[in-house]
Amino acid sequence: MWGDEMEALTMEYEQAAKNSGFSVVCGIDEAGRGPLCGPVCAAAVILPDDCVIEGLNDSKKLSEKKREQLFDVICSTAVSFGVGMATAKEIDEVNILQATFLAMRRAFAQLTTQPDLALIDGNQKPGLPCAEETIIKGDAKCMSIAAASILAKVTRDRYMRALDKQYPEKTAFADEQDGMTFVQFRDAAMQIGSGLKQYGLYKDPVVVLMDARHIPCLKAMMGVVYSGCFYIPLDPLSPAERLQVIFDQLQPKLVIYDEKAEKVK
């Protein structure tokens, strides 16, 4: 096991499911809901009964080297596994939550053995053709979900590294229409950041309401970071009441928003 601070995961959830009458159980998790660019990736994994994989845990708790090591172990140990992605274009079209569900369904479809139960990280079900059970923080509790989290994370990281090599002159935040280089993007963000400092907003709460991949607001967000202000990203699809509570608590001095977020301003 890697690191004394992490408890070893067991097949407790999978075994409980089988004791309840299920015969084939898979774990499902995603990677890429938070990043500002690239696809969202999901994985589905079926592990054998009484499976033991030393060091298996939530991918976020492991180093890149350990995730890479475990990736190969999981692939060789699993009864079956599948990986699916939803592209940045699909995320823009259907929103990040629905795109995550799409990636999960694609990963599930890759399994060569049909599960009758899917254990899913989080609190929402993607709509799979089998029974579904959600587990909050499941990637730190359930072996199958932890295995899926590693496959999803490593697969997405490898994909993004390949893109970086393919387009070394582009910033990861730029789309085809914007076509900005990293230096251009950085300079634009620094210009915004200097303006924020000029207006006395140094280290004060700044709220950015933005479409997740909208370039002008990405520049504004990076400007906030460069200025040293406190940045709070908000999804423009969030309910107005929730936004109001956050605004009341933070009392931000500045709100930056794009036209897609104007409806919640």
Side-chain angles (χ1 to χ4, degrees), residues 132-205:
E132 299 169 293
E133 180 180 336
T134 59
I135 303 174
I136 296 175
K137 296 185 179 180
D139 48 6
K141 300 175 182 177
C142 171
M143 279 192 71
S144 297
I145 295 177
S149 77
I150 290 170
L151 294 196
K153 171 66 174 166
V154 171
T155 299
R156 187 182 189 279
D157 285 351
R158 289 176 178 178
Y159 176 84
M160 295 305 292
R161 284 197 296 271
L163 282 185
D164 187 57
K165 290 180 180 178
Q166 187 176 356
Y167 304 105
E169 77 286 0
K170 301 281 182 159
T171 170
F173 302 121
D175 61 12
E176 291 180 3
Q177 288 71 39
D178 192 273
M180 296 179 71
T181 66
F182 175 78
V183 173
Q184 290 171 327
F185 190 94
R186 182 199 62 196
D187 290 348
M190 290 184 73
Q191 187 174 5
I192 295 170
S194 298
L196 293 175
K197 283 185 178 180
Q198 213 172 17
Y199 285 98
L201 292 169
Y202 185 69
K203 292 188 178 177
D204 284 315

Side-chain angles (χ1 to χ4, degrees), residues 16-141:
K18 292 186 177 182
N19 291 343
S20 299
F22 294 102
S23 57
V24 181
V25 181
C26 76
I28 296 181
D29 200 6
E30 54 74 29
R33 286 189 67 177
L36 294 169
C37 63
V40 60
C41 182
V45 179
I46 302 172
L47 294 176
D49 293 341
D50 302 320
C51 178
V52 177
I53 299 179
E54 186 179 359
L56 182 60
N57 211 299
D58 174 8
S59 63
K60 296 185 292 296
K61 297 180 179 179
L62 304 173
S63 68
E64 180 182 348
K65 181 179 179 181
K66 290 173 183 175
R67 287 195 299 266
E68 287 284 350
Q69 291 171 347
L70 284 169
F71 182 93
D72 294 334
V73 174
I74 293 165
C75 290
S76 62
T77 303
V79 173
S80 181
F81 66 89
V83 176
M85 286 189 181
T87 66
K89 185 174 184 293
E90 289 173 322
I91 294 170
D92 290 338
E93 290 172 349
V94 301
N95 77 44
I96 184 61
L97 178 61
Q98 294 305 317
T100 299
F101 291 162
L102 178 60
M104 288 180 172
R105 291 192 293 268
R106 287 171 175 168
F108 183 90
Q110 294 297 314
L111 294 171
T112 56
T113 301
Q114 180 69 27
D116 51 6
L117 174 66
L119 302 176
I120 303 151
D121 184 48
N123 61 0
Q124 293 180 293
K125 301 174 182 179
L128 301 171
C130 70
E132 299 169 293
E133 180 180 336
T134 59
I135 303 174
I136 296 175
K137 296 185 179 180
D139 48 6
K141 300 175 182 177

Side-chain angles (χ1 to χ4, degrees), residues 181-235:
T181 66
F182 175 78
V183 173
Q184 290 171 327
F185 190 94
R186 182 199 62 196
D187 290 348
M190 290 184 73
Q191 187 174 5
I192 295 170
S194 298
L196 293 175
K197 283 185 178 180
Q198 213 172 17
Y199 285 98
L201 292 169
Y202 185 69
K203 292 188 178 177
D204 284 315
V206 175
V207 172
V208 179
L209 297 177
M210 57 181 281
D211 177 78
R213 285 158 175 77
H214 192 217
I215 295 296
C217 264
L218 286 174
K219 294 175 193 170
M221 179 273 289
M222 291 301 294
V224 171
V225 173
Y226 274 116
S227 71
C229 295
F230 180 43
Y231 164 61
I232 308 103
L234 293 178
D235 186 340

